[in-house]
């Protein structure tokens, strides 16, 4: 499938490869319009359905991961436009339905919907020039794709309130201290780091990756006891896989595992 507002690529040498999606509206700092979000959703679904893909990396440009939803496109919309068509938010939940791990590799601005998009990924690797923020308040609106919900869970209520109410930006170092990003790397090493993380992930057994992602996400949806039970069931279930035998046999035999992905 060909896309106009994103680029797609496949990287890696192993049986499982990484799907890479680059947001590509550089003149608008990757402002997220409906067409871009449609393409992003289609690419994500296609990688998720592809047996040869083990994880996905989403990135932008050096100047902007994404500067938010497209303000010019939204400016004239009425309440009925957005409510009836579910504009803007319509495409945003696709990312959450992806079962394989998704890494956000963020350089430059990740603002508004851009920050929300990054937070929907499983983890964020940030370039040292990254800037995160929820500046929607400046436009007379509020975040609409998780900024008021995922940000407090990621960085605490105090910092989320600070960002959402003042519209100030948080640099990469502050974002790492606050727990929003998993690591900060020099901007010119961002993609290398993200691809290396993707390559490690692609070296593991896909059934265990899917289960691990489901379980960690449960930690945010369920009470502790329910989450523990969910984890235990998934843990036990993995003993039904050939890959559990292979992984443990390989460790005991001091060789590299050759996962069968089942
Ligand atoms: C549309 C945008 C845009 C956006 C930048 N541009 N952000 N267009 N929507 N979100 C366009 C500018 O209009 C400009 O186009 C070009 O990109 C370059 O931007 P500049 O402002 O000239 O660049 P700079 O001075 O470097 O400032 C960068 C910036 C600033 C700080 C990121 O662009 C900015 O504040 N952008 C808006 C950030 C924001 O408010 N995001 C939240 C959006 S609401 P021209 O044609 O003039 O060159 C949102 C809701 C989410 O995200 C809801 C999800 C469901």
């Amino acid at each position: 499938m060909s896309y106009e507002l994103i680029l797609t690529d496949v990287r890696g040498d192993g049986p499982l490869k990484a799907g890479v999606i680059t947001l590509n509206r550089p003149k608008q700092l990757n402002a997220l319009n409906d067409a871009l979000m449609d393409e992003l959703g289609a690419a994500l679904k296609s990688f998720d359905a592809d047996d040869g893909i083990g994880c996905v990396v989403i990135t932008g440009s050096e100047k902007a991961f994404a500067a938010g939803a497209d303000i010019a496109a939204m400016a004239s919309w009425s309440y009925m436009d957005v409510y009836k068509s579910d504009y803007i938010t319509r495409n945003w939940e696709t990312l959450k339905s992806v079962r394989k791990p998704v890494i956000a590799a963020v350089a430059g601005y990740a603002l508004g919907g851009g920050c929300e998009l990054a937070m929907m990924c499983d983890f964020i690797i940030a370039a040292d020039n990254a800037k995160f923020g929820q500046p929607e308040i400046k436009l007379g609106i509020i975040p609409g794709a998780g900024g008021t919900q995922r940000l407090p869970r990621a960085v605490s209520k105090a910092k989320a309130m600070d960002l959402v109410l003042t519209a100030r930006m948080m640099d990469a170092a502050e974002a790492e201290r606050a727990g929003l990003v998993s690591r900060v790397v020099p901007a010119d090493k961002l993609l290398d780091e993200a691809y290396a993380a993707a390559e490690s992930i692609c070296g593991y057994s896909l059934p265990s990756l899917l289960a691990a992602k489901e379980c960690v996400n449960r930690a945010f949806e369920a009470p502790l006891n329910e989450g523990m039970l969910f984890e235990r069931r998934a843990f036990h279930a993995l003993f039904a896989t050939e890959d559990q035998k292979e992984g443990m046999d390989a460790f005991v035999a001091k060789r590299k595992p050759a996962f069968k992905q089942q």
Side-chain angles (χ1 to χ4, degrees):
M1 183 161 173
S2 72
Y3 300 107
E4 285 177 12
L5 303 173
I6 61 171
L7 306 171
T8 58
D9 193 10
V10 171
R11 296 190 63 98
D13 303 322
L16 285 183
K17 299 184 181 5
V20 181
I21 300 173
T22 305
L23 310 178
N24 191 32
R25 285 187 86 202
K27 282 197 192 126
Q28 294 83 8
L29 304 183
N30 292 330
L32 304 164
N33 63 10
D34 235 28
L36 189 153
M37 293 307 292
D38 275 341
E39 292 190 3
L40 177 62
L44 284 166
K45 281 186 183 156
S46 154
F47 281 141
D48 209 29
D50 184 335
D51 288 341
I53 295 292
C55 81
V56 177
V57 175
I58 302 180
T59 193
S61 70
E62 209 170 302
K63 180 157 186 206
F65 177 72
D70 191 319
I71 301 167
M74 290 187 291
S76 62
W77 286 347
S78 69
Y79 172 71
M80 271 307 149
D81 288 335
V82 290
Y83 184 62
K84 281 200 330 203
S85 68
D86 206 12
Y87 263 146
I88 335 176
T89 41
R90 175 166 58 88
N91 300 309
W92 287 72
E93 291 301 313
T94 308
L95 181 48
K96 285 315 291 173
S97 69
V98 174
R99 300 184 66 211
K100 292 169 184 170
V102 182
I103 304 170
V106 174
Y109 297 111
L111 302 177
C115 186
E116 293 170 313
L117 184 69
M119 286 193 289
M120 282 184 220
C121 297
D122 296 315
F123 62 98
I124 302 172
I125 301 179
D128 52 12
N129 74 340
K131 284 191 161 53
F132 298 87
Q134 299 289 163
E136 287 91 339
I137 205 84
K138 285 161 74 175
L139 302 168
I141 57 168
I142 63 168
T148 67
Q149 301 302 305
R150 292 196 178 97
L151 193 59
R153 285 167 169 79
V155 304
S156 82
K157 176 185 165 188
K159 206 172 273 287
M161 282 288 194
D162 181 356
L163 293 171
V164 169
L165 297 178
T166 71
R168 81 170 173 88
M169 292 185 214
M170 176 163 72
D171 67 17
E174 184 181 359
E176 188 183 29
R177 279 198 307 278
L180 179 64
V181 311
S182 66
R183 25 180 149 157
V184 178
V185 300
D188 61 352
K189 297 278 182 315
L190 176 67
L191 288 180
D192 289 346
E193 284 279 335
Y195 295 153
E199 198 177 320
S200 313
I201 291 170
C202 288
Y204 302 128
S205 162
L206 189 56
S208 57
L209 291 169
L210 300 179
K213 174 168 170 168
E214 279 175 5
C215 287
V216 175
N217 280 332
R218 261 303 149 115
F220 293 90
E221 309 289 349
L224 182 60
N225 273 339
E226 293 303 313
M228 292 298 294
L229 186 60
F230 188 83
E231 180 194 72
R232 195 165 316 137
R233 289 290 172 268
F235 175 73
H236 289 159
L238 289 168
F239 284 79
T241 63
E242 292 181 37
D243 284 346
Q244 172 268 328
K245 303 286 173 295
E246 172 59 14
M248 293 191 182
D249 287 350
F251 178 84
V252 172
K254 300 188 188 302
R255 63 173 172 79
K256 203 169 172 291
F259 290 120
K260 299 177 179 65
Q261 305 306 343
Q262 50 189 299

